[in-house]
Amino acid sequence: MTTAFAPAVVRADSLPDSIKVEQLTCAIGAEISNVNLGVASRDPETMVEIRSLLLKHRVLFFRDQDITRPEHVAFARHFGELTEHPYAPADPDAPGLQRIYKSPESPDGAGRYESAWHSDATWREQPPLGCVLRCVECPPVGGDTMWANMVLAYEGLPEHIKTQIADLRASHSLQSSFGAVQPIEKRLALKAQYPDAEHPVVRTHPETGEKVLFVSAYATHFTNFHTPANVRYGMDHAPGASQLLQYLISRAFIPEYQVRFRWKPNSVAMWDNRSTQHLAVMDYPPCHRKMERAEIIGEAVF
Ligand code: SIN
């Protein structure tokens, strides 16, 4: 274990002017204060610092960000191009922003599909680098979001499991999650537009070189498990594959790898989607919850 309990407090005097960093758990997450993201997005030096804090803490929280939608987009654009999402409508007034608005009138009730641990959009060949999520309206209680450190989740695996999964690959599907609630015609159209993607089960973080456990709710099966080493007669050992996949997916559920964030209007979270998973806790219906998200295009996974 290398990164679990290392002190992660960044010295204030190493930061531009007055940025303050408060680590929230031993594993993941820091609250950053004395910074306005609208101003920061016009200051390259602050953006370099925020990028390095993101790599260190994996999810950053900012309170009281009364920023405009163009400022939200401009901040996220420092990290890369933004993408759209088939189930989060684009904001017509702010290209690049996705609306995640939940209410009892939402087409899906209140979007119960969110209650699963996942890295965003791993059904893409190039899953997002990260997201910048801002709270516009939140329920009086509930509607928190949780994140898990998937580098720690990898490091915490028994050595024989690390060896077993070293070269495994998994298929990731949009159909089996968002698509599953659609009529078959829509689901097949979705499949044609967003074909399944295949990724290594253990990815290497492109900026830090860390190993990351990279299967979550979108992963449906291993694509290369049934080798002569695993199978004797037909698919006799096939159940081992799905049990192993479920075991790996369940590593994100361990509290010691997690942080939980209580939203207020104008709170912002930014996460590194390459080394974390998250879960939006769906405990607030029939209340409303309105979030706006900028999703940054990432790299191919190795
Ligand atoms: C997401 O999964 O990106 C949304 C998280 C949230 O709404 O809290």
Side-chain angles (χ1 to χ4, degrees), residues 100 114 118 120 131 133 143-145 263 271 278-280 289 291 293:
I100 307 180
E114 270 182 5
H118 64 285
D120 282 323
C131 281
L133 183 68
D144 298 354
T145 307
W263 293 99
W271 62 93
H278 58 278
L279 176 146
R289 184 176 185 268
M291 312 294 280
R293 180 174 70 178

XYZ file of all heavy atoms in Angstrom, residues 100 114 118 120 131 133 143-145 263 271 278-280 289 291 293, ligand 1:
157
model
N -28.359 17.473 -15.314
C -28.838 16.282 -14.594
C -29.884 16.790 -13.615
O -29.591 17.113 -12.471
C -27.677 15.558 -13.878
C -26.540 15.272 -14.853
C -28.171 14.262 -13.251
C -25.346 14.561 -14.255
N -29.032 5.935 -11.249
C -27.761 6.488 -10.776
C -27.179 5.722 -9.593
O -26.016 5.876 -9.280
C -27.961 7.930 -10.335
C -27.747 8.906 -11.460
C -27.899 10.323 -10.997
O -28.074 10.553 -9.802
O -27.846 11.199 -11.859
N -19.805 3.575 -10.316
C -19.318 3.547 -11.694
C -18.250 4.618 -11.921
O -18.214 5.641 -11.227
C -20.466 3.785 -12.687
C -21.081 5.149 -12.565
N -21.928 5.515 -11.550
C -20.945 6.257 -13.347
C -22.308 6.771 -11.700
N -21.717 7.255 -12.782
N -17.495 7.165 -15.024
C -18.379 7.647 -16.083
C -17.995 7.097 -17.453
O -16.810 7.062 -17.822
C -18.328 9.184 -16.136
C -19.170 9.813 -15.037
O -20.244 9.272 -14.724
O -18.740 10.841 -14.483
N -14.851 15.027 -14.591
C -16.074 15.820 -14.678
C -15.997 16.971 -13.686
O -15.350 16.852 -12.638
C -17.292 14.985 -14.314
S -17.838 13.910 -15.625
N -18.849 19.028 -11.691
C -20.286 18.946 -11.400
C -20.648 20.057 -10.415
O -20.027 20.183 -9.354
C -20.584 17.583 -10.776
C -22.035 17.249 -10.456
C -22.854 17.076 -11.745
C -22.116 15.952 -9.643
N -29.398 13.102 -1.213
C -28.841 13.442 -2.517
C -27.337 13.628 -2.504
O -26.781 14.288 -3.384
N -26.648 13.044 -1.513
C -25.182 13.131 -1.467
C -24.562 12.361 -2.646
O -25.240 11.545 -3.288
C -24.622 12.486 -0.186
C -25.102 13.174 1.090
O -25.776 14.220 0.997
O -24.804 12.643 2.174
N -23.294 12.605 -2.872
C -22.538 11.783 -3.823
C -21.326 11.205 -3.092
O -20.755 11.865 -2.215
C -22.098 12.610 -5.052
O -23.243 13.253 -5.605
C -21.473 11.724 -6.123
N -24.086 18.075 -0.625
C -24.196 19.208 -1.548
C -24.933 20.391 -0.926
O -25.826 20.206 -0.103
C -24.965 18.785 -2.802
C -24.248 17.795 -3.641
C -24.454 16.439 -3.662
C -23.215 18.052 -4.586
N -23.597 15.848 -4.564
C -22.829 16.813 -5.155
C -22.550 19.216 -5.015
C -21.835 16.713 -6.117
C -21.561 19.100 -5.984
C -21.212 17.868 -6.515
N -13.793 15.502 -10.331
C -13.124 14.230 -10.066
C -12.319 13.756 -11.257
O -12.605 14.088 -12.394
C -14.107 13.156 -9.622
C -15.187 12.756 -10.575
C -15.141 11.729 -11.475
C -16.490 13.330 -10.692
N -16.334 11.637 -12.135
C -17.177 12.603 -11.684
C -17.155 14.385 -10.064
C -18.494 12.899 -12.061
C -18.457 14.689 -10.444
C -19.110 13.953 -11.414
N -17.827 6.651 -8.585
C -18.727 7.431 -7.747
C -20.132 6.863 -7.797
O -20.462 6.046 -8.660
C -18.716 8.911 -8.146
C -19.093 9.160 -9.570
N -18.199 9.035 -10.600
C -20.267 9.505 -10.141
C -18.793 9.309 -11.739
N -20.070 9.587 -11.494
N -20.926 7.329 -6.849
C -22.318 6.880 -6.737
C -23.157 8.047 -6.223
O -22.812 8.660 -5.204
C -22.400 5.699 -5.763
C -23.782 5.156 -5.432
C -23.723 3.646 -5.220
C -24.365 5.792 -4.173
N -24.209 8.399 -6.955
C -25.135 9.442 -6.504
C -26.222 8.751 -5.680
O -26.944 7.894 -6.195
C -25.742 10.161 -7.709
N -33.675 17.712 -7.438
C -32.214 17.876 -7.385
C -31.759 18.302 -8.775
O -32.103 17.641 -9.772
C -31.556 16.557 -6.995
C -30.033 16.601 -6.804
C -29.609 15.227 -6.315
N -28.224 15.071 -5.969
C -27.281 14.659 -6.807
N -27.578 14.388 -8.068
N -26.032 14.493 -6.379
N -28.405 19.345 -11.043
C -26.949 19.421 -11.145
C -26.584 19.745 -12.593
O -27.299 19.355 -13.520
C -26.306 18.069 -10.774
C -26.818 17.439 -9.494
S -26.427 18.362 -8.020
C -24.719 17.867 -7.760
N -23.258 19.513 -15.311
C -21.985 18.777 -15.384
C -21.263 19.080 -16.694
O -21.876 19.103 -17.766
C -22.292 17.279 -15.317
C -21.070 16.399 -15.385
C -21.425 14.949 -15.169
N -22.179 14.407 -16.291
C -22.586 13.145 -16.377
N -22.336 12.317 -15.386
N -23.250 12.721 -17.427
C -22.752 11.405 -12.197
O -22.860 10.184 -12.100
O -21.898 11.914 -12.925
C -23.678 12.315 -11.428
C -23.328 12.383 -9.992
C -24.345 13.149 -9.206
O -25.362 13.588 -9.756
O -24.144 13.307 -7.997
